[in-house]
Structures are given as structure tokens and as C-alpha cells.
Amino acid sequence: QVQLVESGGGLVKAGGSLRLSCATSGIIFRLNAMGWYRQTPGKQRELVAAITSGGSRNYAESVMGRFTISSDNAKNTVYLQMNSLKPGEAAVYYCNSNSVGRDYWGQGTQVTVSS
């Protein structure tokens, strides 16, 4: 079975940092594009960062320069390093895996940023 499990969320002060992890199983990790999304109540899910199977990365403009997505093939895990967090970036962060149009999602991890 495909399984994506996020971890690393929590409460941080504005300006602080968190490192999210997404451990995967049941997929050929190196052949999948991976992404991080976030969602708050009443808002649509937003792409934060993504990395393709070829290693290309892209980011939402609002996080450019502060967030970094990376992957570890040996651990089948993708990470999101978030620096200089802002209160408006509090959300549930979701891990996504995509291959040939098939999407898989984790259950999400809560990030809270206090002002």
C-alpha cells in the first residue's frame, strides 16, 4: 500500500524555523514528483514547494528564499525546511506524491506560528 506520513509540525514563534518530513512507502520514490501543500480553513490547498524526479525544484513566490525542499532517496523521504516563518503561514501542511497523474496524500501535519 502507498503510505505518506508527515511529521515535524508544531508551534513556533514568528521568525522561527521548522523542518517537515514526509516518509513514503509503497512507491518507487525516485520516479515520483513530490510536493508540499498547505491549507487553512476556508481556503484552497496551496502548493508550497515541489521537486520532480529529475531534481528540479519550484516554490510558491511567497516562500522563495525562505523554504527549501529536498529529498533523500536512501530514506524515501522528502523534507521541507521552513525558515523565517510568518503567522500567515500557519496551516496544515500535506505531503503529495505524483506519478503519471496519480496522486497520493498524507494526512497532514499542523504548523502553528505565533505572533
Side-chain angles (χ1 to χ4, degrees):
Q1 296 184 20
V2 175
Q3 186 170 331
L4 282 64
V5 181
E6 301 98 332
S7 62
L11 173 64
V12 298
K13 295 182 293 184
S17 299
L18 283 175
R19 183 177 176 86
L20 306 182
S21 299
C22 174
T24 72
S25 61
I27 64 170
I28 305 176
F29 183 79
R30 62 183 176 85
L31 300 181
N32 282 260
M34 303 295 299
W36 286 97
Y37 293 72
R38 64 189 177 195
Q39 187 171 26
T40 56
K43 300 179 182 178
Q44 293 190 348
R45 191 167 297 185
E46 172 191 26
L47 175 66
V48 178
I51 184 168
T52 71
S53 60
S56 298
R57 303 170 183 177
N58 68 281
Y59 300 90
E61 292 185 14
S62 62
V63 308
M64 183 70 69
R66 297 185 296 114
F67 290 13
T68 303
I69 187 170
S70 62
S71 61
D72 186 336
N73 289 342
K75 297 181 178 180
N76 293 336
T77 299
V78 63
Y79 305 93
L80 183 67
Q81 178 67 44
M82 305 186 294
N83 297 329
S84 301
L85 280 160
K86 303 175 181 179
E89 293 172 326
V92 177
Y93 283 71
Y94 295 91
C95 180
N96 168 266
S97 173
N98 178 271
S99 180
V100 197
R102 291 183 294 176
D103 280 304
Y104 300 96
W105 295 90
Q107 296 185 46
T109 184
Q110 177 71 54
V111 172
T112 303
V113 185
S114 64
S115 59

